[in-house]
Amino acid sequence: DGIRDRSPSRGLGDVYKRQGESGDTGNSFSDPNQRHHVHLGLLVHEGQCISMNGEFNALCRRHFGSPLGEAGTPSHINPRDVYQGTGFFTSWNPQKRADLIQDCLDILLRREVPAIIAYINKEEFVSAKARPDSPYSFLGSPSEVAISKFLMALNLFVDEANMSAIGHENIMESDLPVRDYSLIVAGQGKSVAPEFMNQFLHQEEEIPSPAVLENFCYVQSEYSVCTQLANLCAYFVRRWLQTPDESHSYFDALQEGRVIQVIYPVQFY
């Protein structure tokens, strides 16, 4: 999807992470059906991009008859529309929509692509902001704090992966080279603002070996297969958070298939 040309290679194997959001959560605090704001990232190695794009394009031809964006097809796969049978998918029966969803998720399940999730309860966010002398009063949206926690979790995950590849002799000599880096690829027009990275880098919490590149890369969903897959996963995470005691077959499949690996709830003190 052209991401390789957007940033110079750093390290032996850059890890590109696509940032997904939970459908139409936006920043609204009043919708009882969308109590959580979810950010989900898929850690996709650059070596996987070509094959994942190829599989996605093939399944789109199989389900739509043509690649996305051409006549008679949607520009991208909207998670809510395909799950609920709205928008482009109004005329599709439930089984046809389920087959499309499963084919999309299978791209991730076959590779056990790791997903990192940070979520925030929007009612708790509003309550925390309203407290007297609240340290959260300056925050304008739930994304500002959710992204910070998400980036910390991502840094820890990639740092641990780097540590696992370091030999004992390097650790004894405190020689800890960073082999893999993560570039955040976020959907254009979503709630991931450029200044969120700067806020994260200047926070008081100790950050492990910096394994996340210092700038977000913004790409419209229709031009990024992995962003569409991340959005789909984030949508099912939000549905699970809404009713965690009920059965959620897609979320369960992602968790049992070792795709969902980190779920970080943002807590207010």
Side-chain angles (χ1 to χ4, degrees):
D1 55 13
I3 299 303
R4 181 64 177 169
D5 298 328
R6 295 176 180 267
S7 179
S9 175
R10 295 178 60 186
L12 299 180
D14 298 339
V15 178
Y16 297 111
K17 189 204 70 59
R18 269 67 178 182
Q19 170 76 24
E21 294 185 81
S22 53
D24 295 331
T25 55
N27 292 322
S28 171
F29 305 120
S30 59
D31 187 345
N33 295 316
Q34 298 186 5
R35 294 198 303 265
H36 301 92
H37 190 77
V38 178
H39 287 278
L40 179 148
L42 297 173
L43 272 77
V44 179
H45 194 277
E46 60 179 350
Q48 296 177 314
C49 289
I50 294 177
S51 63
M52 290 177 66
N53 286 351
E55 284 189 36
F56 184 82
N57 291 334
L59 74 85
C60 286
R61 288 186 174 89
R62 187 165 65 252
H63 287 277
F64 300 105
S66 301
L68 294 183
E70 294 192 359
T73 71
S75 62
H76 65 285
I77 294 178
N78 181 292
R80 184 188 63 177
D81 286 349
V82 69
Y83 183 79
Q84 298 183 1
T86 57
F88 177 87
F89 300 96
T90 302
S91 63
W92 286 35
N93 63 52
Q95 185 59 55
K96 187 176 181 180
R97 289 185 279 113
D99 290 343
L100 173 59
I101 293 172
Q102 190 61 59
D103 283 349
C104 288
L105 298 185
D106 280 346
I107 295 176
L108 306 175
L109 291 167
R110 280 193 291 271
R111 296 169 174 81
E112 295 186 357
V113 175
I116 294 177
I117 301 154
Y119 72 89
I120 187 169
N121 183 302
K122 293 186 283 186
E123 292 180 355
E124 294 177 0
F125 173 75
V126 171
S127 177
K129 276 174 57 71
R131 292 200 306 260
D133 301 320
S134 171
Y136 309 105
S137 59
F138 69 96
L139 296 173
S141 76
S143 279
E144 292 186 53
V145 61
I147 285 295
S148 178
K149 299 304 182 183
F150 172 83
L151 290 172
M152 176 60 73
L154 173 62
N155 245 302
L156 290 170
F157 190 94
V158 178
D159 189 59
E160 182 178 350
N162 281 318
M163 289 291 291
S164 67
I166 296 174
H168 178 72
E169 64 280 359
N170 298 105
I171 297 177
M172 296 299 294
E173 296 174 5
S174 298
D175 179 19
L176 306 177
V178 178
R179 300 180 67 249
D180 286 326
Y181 290 83
S182 178
L183 169 67
I184 307 291
V185 180
Q188 197 168 36
K190 296 291 185 178
S191 57
V192 183
E195 61 266 23
F196 292 172
M197 178 66 79
N198 187 59
Q199 293 171 8
F200 166 72
L201 294 173
H202 290 86
Q203 64 185 346
E204 295 181 0
E205 298 179 45
E206 183 178 353
I207 301 174
S209 302
V212 178
L213 300 184
E214 297 180 4
N215 292 292
F216 295 120
C217 178
Y218 294 97
V219 180
Q220 293 179 349
S221 295
E222 52 262 42
Y223 300 122
S224 173
V225 167
C226 293
T227 297
Q228 294 185 60
L229 295 175
N231 287 340
L232 191 63
C233 293
Y235 178 79
F236 292 124
V237 170
R238 182 174 62 79
R239 293 188 64 87
W240 166 71
L241 288 169
Q242 187 75 11
T243 54
D245 295 330
E246 296 182 6
S247 175
H248 296 273
S249 58
Y250 295 122
F251 174 85
D252 293 342
L254 291 169
Q255 192 168 50
E256 294 169 3
R258 296 178 54 79
V259 171
I260 294 176
Q261 296 197 16
V262 177
I263 302 178
Y264 193 108
V266 177
Q267 298 177 326
F268 299 97
Y269 301 98

